[in-house]
Amino acid sequence: MPTIPPERAYSSEPKPHRARQIAESFGSDPARYDRARPRYPDAMVERIVAESPGPDFLDVGIGTGIAARQFQAAGCGVLGVEVDARMAGWARERGLEVEVAAFEAWAPAGRAFDAVVSGQTWHWVDPVAGAAKAAEALRPGGRLAVFWNVGQPPPDVVEAFSAVYRRVMPGSLASRQWATGSDGYSVLCARAADGIREVGAFGEPEQWRFDWERSYTRDEWLDQLPTTGGHTRLSPAGLEEVLAGVGAAVDAVGGGFTMRYTTVVVTAARTAA
């Protein structure tokens, strides 16, 4: 299995785990978040389950339970940790067990797990303190697996979206996110891997990749857009302007498009205590 190659220094890069206001802003509309956010490929779920020593899973940043339900369907028991009480409440109402805490401050309280997973969330966790907490919660041989869905629209859609964001949100992350594609997540992956290495309680981190596609209509794309990090804290007027511009851009390319996704996983096994 391939390991993650050393990355260039990134000490000057923004550190998302310090942006707590953004990290805690996703629960403003949990129903939309759960409805619109993409799921994870079955192949990824199956591999994480197969390479974990048992079915007891801890889901860090469980949110509304998107990944947790997929792991439950694969035969796992899942406990969630979630910093946003609104998201946690929504997940609990649908039968998931969730404890409200920032993961770095959460206490395993003597419990041990076969896997610690985190979908679309680990960049909001301190990479060293989070890996240390995961090591504390894992049984020897247990697996830490953190993962992100990385989307790349077709080139004509990239240009149309970028033009909207340059006009409405100049200089923002959203205005340049499509130019980097999956490479934009290389820093996050490197930071996660380095945090795992620094703790010294895991084997060498690996990177897994799963490629898949999803087609979006105009309405489906606009439904999920307010749930993403570049949009959750926009003013109502600013969000309305973005949605109008992006909607017109999708109409201009035929009313829909196919997104190419890569799900990237950084993972390592807990060594013997």
Side-chain angles (χ1 to χ4, degrees):
M1 298 176 187
T3 58
I4 300 169
E7 296 284 343
R8 63 183 182 275
Y10 48 77
S11 59
S12 63
E13 294 286 340
K15 295 177 172 58
H17 67 272
R18 295 181 179 172
R20 285 295 182 184
Q21 287 182 318
I22 301 176
E24 297 172 22
S25 69
F26 294 98
S28 59
D29 191 348
R32 178 196 292 265
Y33 188 100
D34 193 77
R35 176 181 68 242
R37 278 292 185 111
R39 275 45 184 167
Y40 300 97
D42 290 341
M44 183 207 76
V45 173
E46 291 165 2
R47 185 167 182 185
I48 292 173
V49 171
E51 300 211 23
S52 300
D56 298 328
F57 277 47
L58 179 69
D59 188 345
V60 178
I62 190 173
T64 61
I66 291 172
R69 294 194 299 271
Q70 292 186 251
F71 285 111
Q72 282 185 329
C76 300
V78 183
L79 171 66
V81 178
E82 173 55 49
V83 72
D84 191 319
R86 298 165 299 180
M87 296 281 245
W90 203 92
R92 284 175 181 151
E93 289 172 1
R94 283 144 188 85
L96 289 162
E97 184 179 357
V98 186
E99 297 178 5
V100 177
F103 183 56
E104 300 93 329
W106 173 80
R111 295 166 291 183
F113 299 87
D114 297 305
V116 173
V117 299
S118 182
Q120 219 71 22
T121 303
W122 198 252
H123 51 292
W124 303 119
V125 176
D126 181 280
V128 177
K133 185 68 69 172
E136 183 183 350
L138 282 167
R139 298 184 175 99
R143 180 161 295 278
L144 173 61
V146 303
F147 44 90
W148 294 268
N149 282 328
V150 187
Q152 185 66 24
D156 57 339
V157 178
V158 169
E159 180 51 40
F161 285 177
S162 297
V164 173
Y165 288 111
R166 286 194 299 268
R167 184 180 74 251
V168 180
M169 300 168 63
S172 67
L173 174 62
S175 69
R176 58 185 186 274
Q177 63 178 325
W178 304 119
T180 57
S182 60
D183 290 342
Y185 279 71
S186 62
V187 169
L188 299 184
C189 290
R191 189 174 286 133
D194 283 350
I196 291 168
R197 292 188 186 101
E198 187 169 335
V199 167
F202 293 90
E204 178 62 17
E206 302 171 354
Q207 182 171 298
W208 302 341
R209 297 172 63 93
F210 302 86
D211 296 320
W212 55 286
E213 295 183 345
R214 174 178 169 175
S215 295
Y216 285 93
T217 65
R218 176 188 188 275
D219 289 346
E220 287 170 340
W221 185 251
L222 296 184
D223 192 30
Q224 66 82 39
L225 207 57
T227 73
T228 61
H231 304 81
T232 55
R233 302 184 70 221
L234 282 176
S235 68
L239 180 59
E240 183 178 351
E241 189 174 2
V242 168
L243 294 178
V246 171
V250 177
D251 286 339
V253 297
F257 64 94
T258 297
M259 179 76 82
R260 291 183 291 109
Y261 278 107
T262 297
T263 302
V264 292
V265 185
V266 177
T267 182
R270 177 73 163 91
T271 53

